[in-house]
Amino acid sequence: MKIKRIHSGGAFEAKIAYCRAVVAGGFVHVAGTVGQGDTVEAQCADALEIIGKALTEAGSGFDKAVRVTYMLPNAADFEACWPVLQKTFGDNPPAATMIECGLIDPKYLIEIEVTALAGA
C-alpha cells in the first residue's frame, strides 16, 4: 500500500515526529490541528484553514470528510464555533465527536482532527 505524508512545516511536526496528514488506504488522516487567534472562533477558523490546505494537497476536501473530532479545554466554548463549522461543512457534515480535554499549551482553545476520503 502506498502512503503519502503531507507536512505543513509546523513547529511541533519535527519536535514530536508527526506530519500534518497521511494519505493511506483510501483516506486522508489529518492530525490534530490548532490555530492562532485570540478567540475560540478565530482559532477554529485558522485550524480549519490549515486542515483545508492539507486536504487539498491530498486531493480531497471538506466535502469528503467522514469523521471530525473537536477537542476543547472548555466544552462551553464549543457552541461559539458552530457557525464556522456550518460554513465549512455545510451540506456535507461528517460524523463528529467533541471532547473536553487539556491541550498541549493553555493558549490553545480548540484542536481539530479530520478524516476524509482521498482522491476523487
Side-chain angles (χ1 to χ4, degrees):
M1 172 184 3
K2 183 178 177 185
I3 295 175
K4 177 181 179 181
R5 300 180 198 292
I6 297 170
H7 298 275
S8 65
F12 289 111
E13 289 182 29
K15 290 179 184 179
I16 302 173
Y18 79 96
C19 54
R20 175 63 44 220
V22 174
V23 183
F27 290 94
V28 182
H29 304 273
V30 183
T33 303
V34 296
Q36 301 302 310
D38 296 329
T39 66
V40 69
E41 299 94 332
Q43 289 187 19
C44 181
D46 192 51
L48 289 168
E49 184 175 330
I50 294 165
I51 291 166
K53 288 177 185 174
L55 290 172
T56 298
E57 187 173 338
S60 188
F62 287 113
D63 61 322
K64 294 182 177 78
V66 296
R67 160 76 58 198
V68 62
T69 303
Y70 307 103
M71 294 155 276
L72 295 90
N74 184 355
D77 288 344
F78 189 47
E79 189 171 354
C81 297
W82 295 356
V84 177
L85 302 175
Q86 176 61 36
K87 181 179 177 185
T88 300
F89 294 106
D91 294 333
N92 302 295
T97 301
M98 192 284 294
I99 301 168
E100 184 176 46
C101 63
L103 299 180
I104 197 164
D105 187 308
K107 72 180 178 182
Y108 296 123
L109 305 174
I110 187 168
E111 183 170 340
I112 305 169
E113 177 182 271
V114 171
T115 302
L117 291 174

